Amino acid sequence: MNFLHEVLAQSKVEWVKLPDLPDVKGRAGMFAGVSHNALIAIGGANFPDKMPWEGGKKRWYNDVFVLEKGGTPKRLPTQLAAACGYGASVSYQNQLLLFGGSNQDGHLTQAEALEWNGTDVVRKSLPALPYPLAQMGGLVLNDMVILIGGNQTPTAAPLKTCLVLDLKDTAAGWKEILFPGEARIFPMCGKDQQYGYVFSGETSGLNRLGHKYRHILTDAYRFELIRENGQPVARWESLAPMPRGASAGGATVPLLKDGRFFFWGGVDGMTGAWRTPPKHPGIIKSLMVYHPTDDTWEYVGEQKEWPSRVTLPVVEWEGVWVYVSGEILPGVRTPSLMGVR
């Protein structure tokens, strides 16, 4: 038995290769969700000509792809109003909800819902964010969407706040609550039947000379999100720290059928300290799971057949958690859609 199959046997995870996106360069920072049994993927960015250290320019996209069961991803006639990526997206009541993001002009306040009608997607506006926001985490819990962290401009400090929109009362607009941990960008989020979860992310630290460095976080939290007197209230608990960081990993952490959260990819401290992009070794290959029942972590081997990735959405679709495109090396994206179950 080879090592990959041993990993699969130990972790009881099955890997599923889905059809590629029809963009051979792939995308990072896409939005994605599920509507009426169709997987929708939108926007994102790549470097179509040269790598950034060669003078290449990042290109942003506003196109919309759909993947139906048994088919291949295809572009739809509808497009977003602006090319963008690196926001947050969630699935809710057969709609893909997308929030914020960024493009060459800066961060965005957009919020909208897209619904698949069998031919195209229908767009509907939601209350705009109270300020531009990108590189945040997001999930839906108790019919409320919560956006965690992020920043307001490409060079701004990360935020220590969360924005909450009650999807049963969108006219009430966005409410702000505090996050108990360090301010951060690129956290990973997950949920089960009762709790939301926040893992890792990153911020900036200062060394002894006062110079900034990339600080990859390993803390983790769970929370309940409830309503009190018409206001959202989060009740937070700290969890056991992660064995390694996973900043900008799949935006949603897959919850496997046995109740474990599954982690593949993300930037750890060693990867984040790499200084020569052309010689980058790639994203860490280790796989780990979190057991919420006893607040413990487990290393379950390595994935050596397919490259790990960062800055991508992860969507539960047709019984499979789908990793949608993403970045596999600095400046390099993949068009592949990989699933686990």
Side-chain angles (χ1 to χ4, degrees):
M1 180 182 291
N2 67 33
F3 184 72
L4 175 61
H5 288 152
E6 289 176 1
V7 169
L8 299 187
Q10 292 168 7
S11 61
K12 298 180 181 178
V13 172
E14 179 185 356
W15 296 80
V16 181
K17 179 72 173 72
L18 286 83
D20 290 354
L21 286 177
D23 181 342
V24 296
K25 293 289 186 178
R27 310 275 179 87
M30 298 188 79
F31 303 93
V34 173
S35 175
H36 298 289
N37 302 315
L39 174 62
I40 310 295
I42 303 172
N46 61 22
F47 291 89
D49 302 315
K50 297 179 181 179
M51 293 296 97
W53 55 89
E54 298 171 336
K57 301 296 183 183
K58 180 180 285 188
R59 180 177 176 182
W60 308 80
Y61 298 88
N62 63 350
D63 46 1
V64 180
F65 300 94
V66 64
L67 174 61
E68 295 185 279
K69 186 176 181 180
T72 58
K74 61 182 180 181
R75 279 188 180 86
L76 297 178
T78 291
Q79 297 181 331
L80 293 183
C84 59
Y86 301 95
S89 52
V90 298
S91 300
Y92 178 75
Q93 294 186 350
N94 279 312
Q95 298 175 98
L96 183 167
L97 312 185
L98 66 84
F99 306 98
S102 60
N103 58 25
Q104 68 277 5
D105 298 320
H107 287 9
L108 307 171
T109 61
Q110 66 177 346
E112 65 177 272
L114 295 93
E115 186 167 359
W116 172 243
N117 64 11
T119 304
D120 201 351
V121 289
V122 178
R123 297 171 55 204
K124 180 179 73 173
S125 295
L126 294 171
L129 304 181
Y131 43 76
L133 191 64
Q135 301 177 358
M136 65 288 207
L139 58 86
V140 172
L141 192 66
N142 196 16
D143 294 309
M144 291 181 277
V145 62
I146 179 169
L147 305 179
I148 300 164
N151 55 14
Q152 295 187 35
T153 73
T155 57
L159 299 175
K160 189 181 167 66
T161 51
C162 306
L163 291 177
V164 180
L165 179 67
D166 191 335
L167 296 171
K168 296 295 187 183
D169 184 18
T170 58
W174 292 90
K175 310 295 183 182
E176 190 170 275
I177 60 177
L178 284 177
F179 178 69
E182 289 189 63
R184 68 198 59 208
I185 57 173
F186 292 127
M188 301 177 71
C189 298
K191 69 175 183 178
D192 56 23
Q193 291 298 315
Q194 183 176 359
Y195 297 102
Y197 294 79
V198 183
F199 303 97
S200 191
E202 62 185 86
T203 187
S204 295
L206 292 177
N207 68 13
R208 65 177 179 83
L209 301 176
H211 300 157
K212 286 185 178 181
Y213 66 89
R214 190 175 183 183
H215 179 37
I216 306 299
L217 302 168
T218 58
D219 53 349
Y221 304 85
R222 77 174 187 180
F223 64 95
E224 291 182 289
L225 188 60
I226 61 173
R227 300 171 180 84
E228 288 187 355
N229 300 318
Q231 300 296 315
V233 175
R235 295 172 176 166
W236 300 89
E237 295 178 89
S238 295
L239 305 177
M242 305 173 72
R244 66 166 177 85
S247 176
T252 302
V253 184
L255 180 64
L256 303 179
K257 293 179 181 178
D258 60 9
R260 299 176 300 166
F261 287 100
F262 179 77
F263 291 79
W264 176 45
V267 178
D268 67 312
M270 292 295 290
T271 305
W274 197 268
R275 295 188 180 187
T276 52
K279 298 181 180 180
H280 198 281
I283 309 304
I284 192 168
K285 298 176 175 61
S286 64
L287 307 171
M288 58 185 181
V289 295
Y290 173 71
H291 299 261
T293 53
D294 60 2
D295 190 24
T296 59
W297 293 87
E298 180 184 2
Y299 167 76
V300 293
E302 294 186 349
Q303 167 56 274
K304 296 183 177 181
E305 186 169 349
W306 297 290
S308 304
R309 49 195 78 185
V310 295
T311 55
L312 71 156
V314 181
V315 177
E316 188 177 18
W317 177 66
E318 296 292 330
V320 176
W321 287 94
V322 182
Y323 291 77
V324 181
S325 199
E327 185 172 359
I328 57 175
L329 287 164
V332 180
R333 282 63 164 144
T334 174
S336 77
L337 306 183
M338 288 299 307
V340 297
R341 62 186 172 200

PDB file of all heavy atoms in Angstrom, residues 52-67:
ATOM      1  N   PRO A  52       4.527  37.997 -10.624  1.00  0.00           N
ATOM      2  CA  PRO A  52       4.619  39.364 -10.093  1.00  0.00           C
ATOM      3  C   PRO A  52       6.056  39.861  -9.953  1.00  0.00           C
ATOM      4  O   PRO A  52       6.311  41.058 -10.156  1.00  0.00           O
ATOM      5  CB  PRO A  52       3.922  39.260  -8.734  1.00  0.00           C
ATOM      6  CG  PRO A  52       3.794  37.800  -8.454  1.00  0.00           C
ATOM      7  CD  PRO A  52       3.741  37.119  -9.752  1.00  0.00           C
ATOM      8  N   TRP A  53       7.002  38.984  -9.621  1.00  0.00           N
ATOM      9  CA  TRP A  53       8.401  39.422  -9.488  1.00  0.00           C
ATOM     10  C   TRP A  53       9.076  39.635 -10.844  1.00  0.00           C
ATOM     11  O   TRP A  53      10.193  40.121 -10.911  1.00  0.00           O
ATOM     12  CB  TRP A  53       9.202  38.427  -8.648  1.00  0.00           C
ATOM     13  CG  TRP A  53       9.152  37.013  -9.158  1.00  0.00           C
ATOM     14  CD1 TRP A  53      10.003  36.431 -10.064  1.00  0.00           C
ATOM     15  CD2 TRP A  53       8.208  36.020  -8.794  1.00  0.00           C
ATOM     16  NE1 TRP A  53       9.640  35.125 -10.293  1.00  0.00           N
ATOM     17  CE2 TRP A  53       8.535  34.852  -9.518  1.00  0.00           C
ATOM     18  CE3 TRP A  53       7.109  35.991  -7.924  1.00  0.00           C
ATOM     19  CZ2 TRP A  53       7.816  33.671  -9.401  1.00  0.00           C
ATOM     20  CZ3 TRP A  53       6.386  34.810  -7.815  1.00  0.00           C
ATOM     21  CH2 TRP A  53       6.741  33.674  -8.542  1.00  0.00           C
ATOM     22  N   GLU A  54       8.371  39.276 -11.924  1.00  0.00           N
ATOM     23  CA  GLU A  54       8.854  39.541 -13.278  1.00  0.00           C
ATOM     24  C   GLU A  54       8.171  40.758 -13.890  1.00  0.00           C
ATOM     25  O   GLU A  54       8.340  41.039 -15.071  1.00  0.00           O
ATOM     26  CB  GLU A  54       8.617  38.333 -14.169  1.00  0.00           C
ATOM     27  CG  GLU A  54       9.356  37.076 -13.726  1.00  0.00           C
ATOM     28  CD  GLU A  54       8.939  35.836 -14.494  1.00  0.00           C
ATOM     29  OE1 GLU A  54       7.812  35.802 -15.026  1.00  0.00           O
ATOM     30  OE2 GLU A  54       9.747  34.894 -14.580  1.00  0.00           O
ATOM     31  N   GLY A  55       7.386  41.450 -13.086  1.00  0.00           N
ATOM     32  CA  GLY A  55       6.647  42.607 -13.581  1.00  0.00           C
ATOM     33  C   GLY A  55       5.237  42.289 -14.025  1.00  0.00           C
ATOM     34  O   GLY A  55       4.556  43.152 -14.603  1.00  0.00           O
ATOM     35  N   GLY A  56       4.761  41.062 -13.773  1.00  0.00           N
ATOM     36  CA  GLY A  56       3.411  40.689 -14.158  1.00  0.00           C
ATOM     37  C   GLY A  56       2.350  41.447 -13.382  1.00  0.00           C
ATOM     38  O   GLY A  56       2.543  41.801 -12.219  1.00  0.00           O
ATOM     39  N   LYS A  57       1.242  41.702 -14.026  1.00  0.00           N
ATOM     40  CA  LYS A  57       0.135  42.437 -13.423  1.00  0.00           C
ATOM     41  C   LYS A  57      -1.011  41.485 -13.092  1.00  0.00           C
ATOM     42  O   LYS A  57      -1.382  40.642 -13.910  1.00  0.00           O
ATOM     43  CB  LYS A  57      -0.370  43.530 -14.368  1.00  0.00           C
ATOM     44  CG  LYS A  57       0.701  44.558 -14.761  1.00  0.00           C
ATOM     45  CD  LYS A  57       1.184  45.354 -13.564  1.00  0.00           C
ATOM     46  CE  LYS A  57       2.180  46.424 -13.982  1.00  0.00           C
ATOM     47  NZ  LYS A  57       2.716  47.161 -12.810  1.00  0.00           N
ATOM     48  N   LYS A  58      -1.542  41.643 -11.897  1.00  0.00           N
ATOM     49  CA  LYS A  58      -2.683  40.825 -11.492  1.00  0.00           C
ATOM     50  C   LYS A  58      -3.915  41.234 -12.290  1.00  0.00           C
ATOM     51  O   LYS A  58      -4.188  42.426 -12.469  1.00  0.00           O
ATOM     52  CB  LYS A  58      -2.945  40.983 -10.001  1.00  0.00           C
ATOM     53  CG  LYS A  58      -4.116  40.151  -9.488  1.00  0.00           C
ATOM     54  CD  LYS A  58      -4.339  40.345  -7.999  1.00  0.00           C
ATOM     55  CE  LYS A  58      -3.307  39.613  -7.185  1.00  0.00           C
ATOM     56  NZ  LYS A  58      -3.632  39.644  -5.733  1.00  0.00           N
ATOM     57  N   ARG A  59      -4.648  40.241 -12.778  1.00  0.00           N
ATOM     58  CA  ARG A  59      -5.899  40.492 -13.496  1.00  0.00           C
ATOM     59  C   ARG A  59      -7.062  39.978 -12.668  1.00  0.00           C
ATOM     60  O   ARG A  59      -7.025  38.870 -12.140  1.00  0.00           O
ATOM     61  CB  ARG A  59      -5.900  39.811 -14.864  1.00  0.00           C
ATOM     62  CG  ARG A  59      -7.183  40.049 -15.644  1.00  0.00           C
ATOM     63  CD  ARG A  59      -7.141  39.426 -17.026  1.00  0.00           C
ATOM     64  NE  ARG A  59      -8.413  39.593 -17.713  1.00  0.00           N
ATOM     65  CZ  ARG A  59      -8.687  39.107 -18.927  1.00  0.00           C
ATOM     66  NH1 ARG A  59      -7.754  38.429 -19.593  1.00  0.00           N
ATOM     67  NH2 ARG A  59      -9.867  39.300 -19.485  1.00  0.00           N
ATOM     68  N   TRP A  60      -8.099  40.800 -12.570  1.00  0.00           N
ATOM     69  CA  TRP A  60      -9.300  40.465 -11.810  1.00  0.00           C
ATOM     70  C   TRP A  60     -10.417  40.099 -12.781  1.00  0.00           C
ATOM     71  O   TRP A  60     -10.465  40.584 -13.906  1.00  0.00           O
ATOM     72  CB  TRP A  60      -9.725  41.643 -10.937  1.00  0.00           C
ATOM     73  CG  TRP A  60      -8.625  42.180 -10.079  1.00  0.00           C
ATOM     74  CD1 TRP A  60      -7.623  43.031 -10.470  1.00  0.00           C
ATOM     75  CD2 TRP A  60      -8.386  41.903  -8.716  1.00  0.00           C
ATOM     76  NE1 TRP A  60      -6.792  43.303  -9.420  1.00  0.00           N
ATOM     77  CE2 TRP A  60      -7.237  42.620  -8.323  1.00  0.00           C
ATOM     78  CE3 TRP A  60      -9.041  41.116  -7.757  1.00  0.00           C
ATOM     79  CZ2 TRP A  60      -6.732  42.582  -7.030  1.00  0.00           C
ATOM     80  CZ3 TRP A  60      -8.540  41.080  -6.471  1.00  0.00           C
ATOM     81  CH2 TRP A  60      -7.403  41.801  -6.128  1.00  0.00           C
ATOM     82  N   TYR A  61     -11.374  39.300 -12.321  1.00  0.00           N
ATOM     83  CA  TYR A  61     -12.428  38.784 -13.199  1.00  0.00           C
ATOM     84  C   TYR A  61     -13.800  38.999 -12.572  1.00  0.00           C
ATOM     85  O   TYR A  61     -13.943  39.055 -11.346  1.00  0.00           O
ATOM     86  CB  TYR A  61     -12.217  37.287 -13.452  1.00  0.00           C
ATOM     87  CG  TYR A  61     -10.912  36.977 -14.162  1.00  0.00           C
ATOM     88  CD1 TYR A  61      -9.747  36.778 -13.442  1.00  0.00           C
ATOM     89  CD2 TYR A  61     -10.859  36.912 -15.548  1.00  0.00           C
ATOM     90  CE1 TYR A  61      -8.546  36.506 -14.075  1.00  0.00           C
ATOM     91  CE2 TYR A  61      -9.658  36.630 -16.198  1.00  0.00           C
ATOM     92  CZ  TYR A  61      -8.514  36.440 -15.460  1.00  0.00           C
ATOM     93  OH  TYR A  61      -7.318  36.173 -16.097  1.00  0.00           O
ATOM     94  N   ASN A  62     -14.806  39.097 -13.445  1.00  0.00           N
ATOM     95  CA  ASN A  62     -16.188  39.225 -12.979  1.00  0.00           C
ATOM     96  C   ASN A  62     -17.098  38.158 -13.588  1.00  0.00           C
ATOM     97  O   ASN A  62     -18.319  38.258 -13.502  1.00  0.00           O
ATOM     98  CB  ASN A  62     -16.744  40.618 -13.299  1.00  0.00           C
ATOM     99  CG  ASN A  62     -16.817  40.892 -14.790  1.00  0.00           C
ATOM    100  OD1 ASN A  62     -16.289  40.142 -15.608  1.00  0.00           O
ATOM    101  ND2 ASN A  62     -17.478  41.981 -15.155  1.00  0.00           N
ATOM    102  N   ASP A  63     -16.501  37.124 -14.206  1.00  0.00           N
ATOM    103  CA  ASP A  63     -17.326  36.097 -14.836  1.00  0.00           C
ATOM    104  C   ASP A  63     -17.863  35.106 -13.817  1.00  0.00           C
ATOM    105  O   ASP A  63     -17.383  34.987 -12.695  1.00  0.00           O
ATOM    106  CB  ASP A  63     -16.571  35.374 -15.958  1.00  0.00           C
ATOM    107  CG  ASP A  63     -15.158  34.971 -15.574  1.00  0.00           C
ATOM    108  OD1 ASP A  63     -14.740  35.214 -14.437  1.00  0.00           O
ATOM    109  OD2 ASP A  63     -14.451  34.406 -16.437  1.00  0.00           O
ATOM    110  N   VAL A  64     -18.915  34.388 -14.235  1.00  0.00           N
ATOM    111  CA  VAL A  64     -19.626  33.447 -13.381  1.00  0.00           C
ATOM    112  C   VAL A  64     -19.619  32.078 -14.059  1.00  0.00           C
ATOM    113  O   VAL A  64     -19.967  31.957 -15.239  1.00  0.00           O
ATOM    114  CB  VAL A  64     -21.081  33.907 -13.138  1.00  0.00           C
ATOM    115  CG1 VAL A  64     -21.815  32.919 -12.241  1.00  0.00           C
ATOM    116  CG2 VAL A  64     -21.110  35.315 -12.534  1.00  0.00           C
ATOM    117  N   PHE A  65     -19.235  31.046 -13.290  1.00  0.00           N
ATOM    118  CA  PHE A  65     -19.230  29.676 -13.797  1.00  0.00           C
ATOM    119  C   PHE A  65     -20.276  28.860 -13.054  1.00  0.00           C
ATOM    120  O   PHE A  65     -20.552  29.100 -11.873  1.00  0.00           O
ATOM    121  CB  PHE A  65     -17.867  29.010 -13.578  1.00  0.00           C
ATOM    122  CG  PHE A  65     -16.717  29.700 -14.249  1.00  0.00           C
ATOM    123  CD1 PHE A  65     -15.954  30.633 -13.558  1.00  0.00           C
ATOM    124  CD2 PHE A  65     -16.387  29.418 -15.568  1.00  0.00           C
ATOM    125  CE1 PHE A  65     -14.887  31.270 -14.164  1.00  0.00           C
ATOM    126  CE2 PHE A  65     -15.321  30.055 -16.183  1.00  0.00           C
ATOM    127  CZ  PHE A  65     -14.567  30.980 -15.480  1.00  0.00           C
ATOM    128  N   VAL A  66     -20.834  27.866 -13.734  1.00  0.00           N
ATOM    129  CA  VAL A  66     -21.754  26.940 -13.091  1.00  0.00           C
ATOM    130  C   VAL A  66     -21.318  25.515 -13.402  1.00  0.00           C
ATOM    131  O   VAL A  66     -20.870  25.213 -14.518  1.00  0.00           O
ATOM    132  CB  VAL A  66     -23.214  27.175 -13.550  1.00  0.00           C
ATOM    133  CG1 VAL A  66     -23.393  26.891 -15.046  1.00  0.00           C
ATOM    134  CG2 VAL A  66     -24.183  26.316 -12.739  1.00  0.00           C
ATOM    135  N   LEU A  67     -21.423  24.654 -12.409  1.00  0.00           N
ATOM    136  CA  LEU A  67     -21.159  23.222 -12.580  1.00  0.00           C
ATOM    137  C   LEU A  67     -22.374  22.467 -12.063  1.00  0.00           C
ATOM    138  O   LEU A  67     -22.724  22.563 -10.882  1.00  0.00           O
ATOM    139  CB  LEU A  67     -19.909  22.803 -11.807  1.00  0.00           C
ATOM    140  CG  LEU A  67     -19.605  21.300 -11.783  1.00  0.00           C
ATOM    141  CD1 LEU A  67     -19.367  20.755 -13.188  1.00  0.00           C
ATOM    142  CD2 LEU A  67     -18.403  21.007 -10.881  1.00  0.00           C
TER     143      LEU A  67
END
